[in-house]
Amino acid sequence: MPGRPLDPHPQEQQIRTLLDEGLTNTAVARRLYVGVRAVASIRDKHGIPQVPRSAYRRQPHPKHREILALLDDGYRDAEIRRRTGADVGTIARARREGGFGRPTVTTRKPRQHPKDAEIRARLRHASNHQISEELGVDRAAVRRIRREAGIAYVPPRFATAEEKWASLVREVDGGHLEWLGERAGRSSTPVMRFRERSASPAGIAFKKRTGRDPVGQVRAECDYPHCVAPAHVDDEPGRRRLREQLRAIKGVPAPGETCRHGHDQAEHGRLEQDGTAYCGACKRDQKRAARANTP
């Protein structure tokens, strides 16, 4: 039995038109997103002769002149593709062979930063880092907007380290003070420089409350990370005194004179925030051993 005749290809008329214009099977397939075999069968069906190999690379795009005109006007490849339907490779080749330079026409306006107005309002009064921290924006965006606005930042001159400290803190809920200045290390510890010297923001906060220089490391005793509120920080003797008072309230006996490894607890004894005693020397040795065993 004779088979049922095949239905014509849905794009047969378009394929025939391009074949009549002298395009190769591959070029037609790429242009219309169809299979090369389907194009070849339609060429055979209608008796359209094959394109000579010598003409493969010389066949111009149907909108070649329009592409050249748009290139000459300075349009981008993407915009020319949108207007002509030509693939980017064809446009790039025409740009290269025609000696056209870089595009000069911008068809899309640059998108404004969501916090553009807020950033511009702070440019004269704050550094890029401060604006980035205060508004929670990328520092590169602040630099770009500053460059566009042509506004230079002039750092204020502070008479004392305390004045500079006061300009770099912000009160948050709970009476905490957030540090807006520079930070260092993996733990993002607040740091500050004043007149080419390093100053501890937490140490300044401690001195504001007590009137004296701290002994040892100053840390916040509250639950806000790196809080620099004067009422929330303490030095090593202050922390130990508070934790010893907590142990006394709980009825916990005083720790021994030495730990189980023989370290003098008058020198190495430490207390956790909840009053739990531990040996600083043992803890240091454990960390060293862990680092040594890490591959």
Side-chain angles (χ1 to χ4, degrees):
M1 285 181 64
R4 180 187 172 202
L6 296 175
D7 293 332
H9 193 281
Q11 293 179 273
E12 182 169 340
Q13 186 58 46
Q14 296 168 276
I15 293 172
R16 280 194 60 186
T17 301
L18 294 176
L19 290 174
D20 289 335
E21 290 178 3
L23 271 68
T24 64
N25 294 353
T26 302
V28 174
R30 287 177 179 173
R31 185 77 61 80
L32 300 178
Y33 301 101
V34 297
V36 177
R37 289 185 179 180
V39 178
S41 65
I42 291 173
R43 183 186 291 277
D44 293 340
K45 175 181 175 182
H46 295 283
I48 302 172
Q50 296 286 343
V51 181
R53 285 189 175 275
S54 59
Y56 276 16
R57 295 186 179 275
R58 294 200 302 267
Q59 187 67 38
H61 190 275
K63 295 188 178 180
H64 182 67
R65 290 187 178 180
E66 186 179 346
I67 293 171
L68 293 180
L70 292 170
L71 286 169
D72 191 47
D73 288 339
Y75 284 97
R76 296 165 56 246
D77 291 2
E79 177 63 15
I80 297 174
R81 178 183 181 183
R82 188 186 69 80
R83 294 191 180 198
T84 64
D87 63 85
V88 174
T90 298
I91 300 167
R93 185 167 57 253
R95 182 185 295 278
R96 184 173 60 253
E97 293 174 354
F100 296 99
R102 294 174 63 84
T104 58
V105 177
T106 303
T107 57
R108 182 184 300 171
K109 293 182 179 179
R111 189 173 62 180
Q112 189 179 59
H113 193 281
K115 296 185 177 180
D116 184 86
E118 298 171 73
I119 292 172
R120 289 177 185 270
R122 288 167 169 79
L123 291 176
R124 295 189 187 278
H125 313 292
S127 67
N128 295 349
H129 176 78
Q130 287 174 297
I131 296 172
S132 172
E133 291 291 319
E134 289 175 18
L135 300 180
V137 298
D138 184 60
R139 204 181 303 181
V142 181
R143 285 198 300 268
R144 176 180 58 78
I145 294 172
R146 184 183 293 281
R147 188 167 55 248
E148 292 173 359
I151 299 175
Y153 168 61
V154 180
R157 294 183 177 273
F158 299 103
T160 64
E162 288 74 15
E163 285 185 13
K164 184 173 182 179
W165 176 91
S167 73
L168 294 173
V169 295
R170 176 174 62 187
E171 188 172 355
V172 295
D173 292 342
H176 307 291
L177 284 185
E178 179 185 9
W179 180 248
L180 303 177
E182 190 178 352
R183 293 175 181 263
R186 293 183 179 179
S187 60
S188 298
T189 302
V191 294
M192 189 183 84
R193 285 188 290 269
F194 179 71
R195 295 181 181 175
E196 308 304 322
R197 297 183 65 181
S198 177
S200 166
I204 292 173
F206 176 84
K207 191 170 183 178
K208 284 176 70 68
R209 177 171 62 84
T210 64
R212 66 173 178 84
D213 291 328
V215 176
Q217 188 180 32
V218 179
R219 291 201 303 265
E221 288 292 286
C222 61
D223 57 358
Y224 191 85
H226 299 298
C227 177
V228 291
H232 295 182
V233 299
D234 220 333
D235 63 354
E236 288 185 7
R239 284 195 300 275
R240 185 171 185 87
R241 184 170 57 253
L242 289 173
R243 293 172 188 184
E244 286 174 347
Q245 291 173 0
L246 180 61
R247 287 175 65 89
I249 292 171
K250 291 181 176 180
V252 180
E257 295 183 357
T258 60
C259 71
R260 60 178 180 172
H261 294 107
H263 297 126
D264 183 1
Q265 293 306 283
E267 178 183 358
H268 300 291
R270 301 288 187 273
L271 296 175
E272 297 282 7
Q273 196 164 1
D274 63 357
T276 303
Y278 71 94
C279 176
C282 290
K283 192 170 186 178
R284 182 186 63 242
D285 293 343
Q286 289 170 3
K287 288 183 178 179
R288 287 176 179 172
R291 285 196 295 269
N293 293 330
T294 301

